Amino acid sequence: MELLTGEYRNTLDEKGRILFPSRLRQEITGNVLIITQALDRCLWLYTPEEWKNLSSKLMESASPFDPKARLVVRRLVAPAQEVEFDKSGRLSIPQSLREYAGLSKDCVVLGINKYIELWDSARYKEYLEQSEESFLEATEGLRDICF
């Protein structure tokens, strides 16, 4: 798998399906993605290999006796579902996950290296506006990165 990058705008149809960007689709081996709740009220999509890697690390470090660990596992691992591309290259987003992310018609698909984010377009715009100051502060800590 190559790096998954790019920002794409697509629409969710009345059946909860979204046409997956062909550029990202070409980089994915196989016909399946794992989709789950993410931070910031969006959805994360992983290839099965990447999901296995992440979820294994989460489960190895999560004691069932630690309330914070249980919360993370319940919010990230438990809601994960396997979805398949249909013949037209669409993914059917499960209703519970659409509700969690507030997905309406207009959506944003972000390729972020080893995973993909799916946002409601209005929610993503709001997130960008609200996080601008934090983003600028965060980039100040990257001074030592040189090209």
Side-chain angles (χ1 to χ4, degrees):
M1 178 178 70
E2 295 292 319
L3 297 179
L4 300 167
T5 60
E7 179 177 321
Y8 307 88
R9 308 240 172 212
N10 283 7
T11 56
L12 200 65
D13 70 15
E14 64 281 347
K15 294 181 181 179
R17 299 173 303 193
I18 188 166
L19 183 60
F20 205 73
S22 60
R23 167 70 179 89
L24 293 179
R25 179 73 178 95
Q26 292 171 4
E27 302 300 334
I28 296 170
T29 304
N31 200 36
V32 172
L33 289 176
I34 309 300
I35 185 169
T36 193
Q37 295 177 2
L39 306 175
D40 304 314
R41 303 296 277 190
C42 68
L43 301 175
W44 283 338
L45 293 85
Y46 290 89
T47 62
E49 299 80 23
E50 288 295 334
W51 176 250
K52 183 177 180 181
N53 184 31
L54 175 64
S55 62
S56 293
K57 288 178 182 178
L58 286 171
M59 295 308 296
E60 288 170 9
S61 66
S63 168
F65 302 105
D66 179 348
K68 288 182 180 179
R70 286 194 312 267
L71 177 61
V72 169
V73 169
R74 288 176 182 151
R75 296 289 297 268
L76 298 179
V77 177
Q81 297 185 46
E82 186 177 284
V83 291
E84 286 188 54
F85 290 100
D86 68 12
K87 293 177 184 176
S88 300
R90 297 175 297 194
L91 287 176
S92 182
I93 310 301
Q95 178 69 28
S96 60
L97 295 174
R98 288 195 316 261
E99 289 173 6
Y100 169 81
L103 298 181
S104 57
K105 185 175 181 178
D106 296 321
C107 295
V108 176
V109 179
L110 299 173
I112 305 181
N113 196 342
K114 293 185 176 187
Y115 70 98
I116 297 160
E117 289 186 347
L118 178 58
W119 288 80
D120 176 76
S121 184
R123 185 169 276 172
Y124 183 61
K125 181 181 178 189
E126 182 180 307
Y127 167 79
L128 289 176
E129 291 168 356
Q130 291 178 353
S131 65
E132 183 64 22
E133 187 175 323
S134 297
F135 171 67
L136 294 174
E137 289 174 12
T139 60
E140 290 174 8
L142 303 175
R143 293 183 203 134
D144 296 333
I145 296 177
C146 299
F147 292 71

